[in-house]
Amino acid sequence: MLVALLLSSSAFSESAIIWQGSWQQGALLLGQIDPDHSISFAGEQIKTTTDGYFLFGLGRNAQGPSRFTVSSPKGVVEVQYPVAQRKYHIQRVEGVPQQTVNPPAEQLKRIRSDSALVRKARREVTTSVDFLNGFIQPLNGPKTGVYGSQRFYNGVPKSPHYGIDYAAPTGSKVIAPAAGIVRLAHRDLFYSGGTLIIDHGHGLSSSFLHLSDILVSEGSRVERGDSIALVGATGRSTGPHLDWRMNWRDVRVDPELVMKALPAQ
């Protein structure tokens, strides 16, 4: 349900936002405003396409309402939306290499370096609109992990899981869920092993973890359905599977909700 607070009574009808997606934790939403309008959230302007499309992501623990300011030549309007809370699963994973549960001190420098590489790969917010053509699953297989669940590795509580896990034999092909530019292709990060990150535009990216091989190079362009990698069990993993994660800028969103908000065209 939309709650609107008008700052200019003449502006609201012309500044209404059209949304595609669901207002719940972990969701990605596609919005549209008139092309001559601008929109901001928490004082920061959101990038829009020439047709007025834009993305907005809600994190795992996002609290509502989410408040936006839309500016037009005729005035300013503020709108706000409630955010539905979700219940998350608790997962207990045994048999993980103990060094990845409580890494030794000599590995901390490597872990910090890995994190910097990932942040750099996700930093750029481009004008590409590849996301508008929608998303498909990168792999067909049983889902063994879901977004938002908190994991206990060898009995030790860790950060929540932010992706979807698909079980598949080592060497199974992973395809691009949408077109984009490869920003990171690294064969051995400490936690995620073989890791690939694809930029879909406007700060939206996909990450593919625990890969046994990567079939594309950094800077290359991929199209939806292209073979990009092979399933593995590298990094912190107990067996072969694909961990697919998505970010809108630094907000971790649920890939399942992305596919619902942006189905393949």
Side-chain angles (χ1 to χ4, degrees):
M1 179 178 178
L2 166 64
V3 179
L5 171 64
L6 277 63
L7 297 186
S8 169
S9 60
S10 63
F12 177 72
S13 62
E14 296 179 15
S15 299
I17 310 169
I18 300 172
W19 291 105
Q20 186 171 306
S22 57
W23 283 96
Q24 60 177 304
Q25 293 173 330
L28 180 79
L29 292 109
L30 176 68
Q32 186 179 24
I33 56 175
D34 288 347
D36 63 346
H37 295 179
S38 64
I39 184 167
S40 61
F41 174 79
E44 182 178 353
Q45 187 167 326
I46 299 175
K47 181 184 291 292
T48 60
T49 71
T50 55
D51 294 324
Y53 288 105
F54 64 94
L55 294 173
F56 182 73
L58 293 163
R60 177 186 185 271
N61 299 315
Q63 300 295 312
S66 292
R67 296 181 175 88
F68 300 85
T69 301
V70 181
S71 301
S72 75
K74 295 186 177 180
V76 176
V77 62
E78 289 189 356
V79 291
Q80 62 183 37
Y81 303 84
V83 177
Q85 295 189 357
R86 296 168 62 179
K87 293 183 178 180
Y88 298 109
H89 299 286
I90 299 296
Q91 291 182 304
R92 300 184 185 276
V93 183
E94 302 296 331
V96 173
Q98 190 61 32
Q99 69 203 32
T100 68
V101 177
N102 293 306
E106 60 267 22
Q107 293 289 355
L108 295 179
K109 182 178 179 181
R110 177 187 173 190
I111 292 168
R112 287 192 290 268
S113 176
D114 289 352
S115 297
L117 287 174
V118 171
R119 288 194 301 272
K120 180 180 178 182
R122 293 176 177 152
R123 184 177 302 151
E124 190 173 0
V125 180
T126 68
T127 58
S128 170
V129 293
D130 286 321
F131 62 88
L132 286 175
N133 290 322
F135 289 78
I136 59 174
Q137 281 188 198
L139 178 73
N140 288 321
K143 281 188 290 187
T144 56
V146 295
Y147 173 93
S149 57
Q150 185 175 17
R151 289 182 165 181
F152 286 68
Y153 288 107
N154 299 350
V156 179
K158 292 297 179 180
S159 299
H161 182 51
Y162 289 106
I164 305 175
D165 288 345
Y166 298 99
T170 296
S172 300
K173 283 190 176 181
V174 179
I175 63 173
I181 302 297
V182 177
R183 299 297 181 193
L184 179 69
H186 198 292
R187 298 184 182 279
D188 188 24
L189 298 184
F190 182 80
Y191 284 120
S192 55
T195 303
L196 177 65
I197 297 179
I198 297 177
D199 170 16
H200 305 295
H202 282 236
L204 185 64
S205 65
S206 286
S207 299
F208 309 90
L209 316 184
H210 310 301
L211 305 170
S212 63
D213 198 8
I214 297 173
L215 307 179
V216 292
S217 57
E218 289 183 17
S220 62
R221 178 173 175 79
V222 298
E223 302 297 334
R224 187 176 64 209
D226 285 353
S227 295
I228 56 174
L230 303 180
V231 169
T234 56
R236 185 162 68 183
S237 173
T238 57
H241 71 286
L242 173 68
D243 183 346
W244 175 33
R245 304 187 179 197
M246 294 197 70
N247 275 57
W248 176 70
R249 305 178 73 171
D250 60 355
V251 178
R252 294 166 171 173
V253 294
D254 186 344
E256 286 198 293
L257 296 182
V258 173
M259 288 189 288
K260 291 179 180 179
L262 297 171
Q265 300 297 310

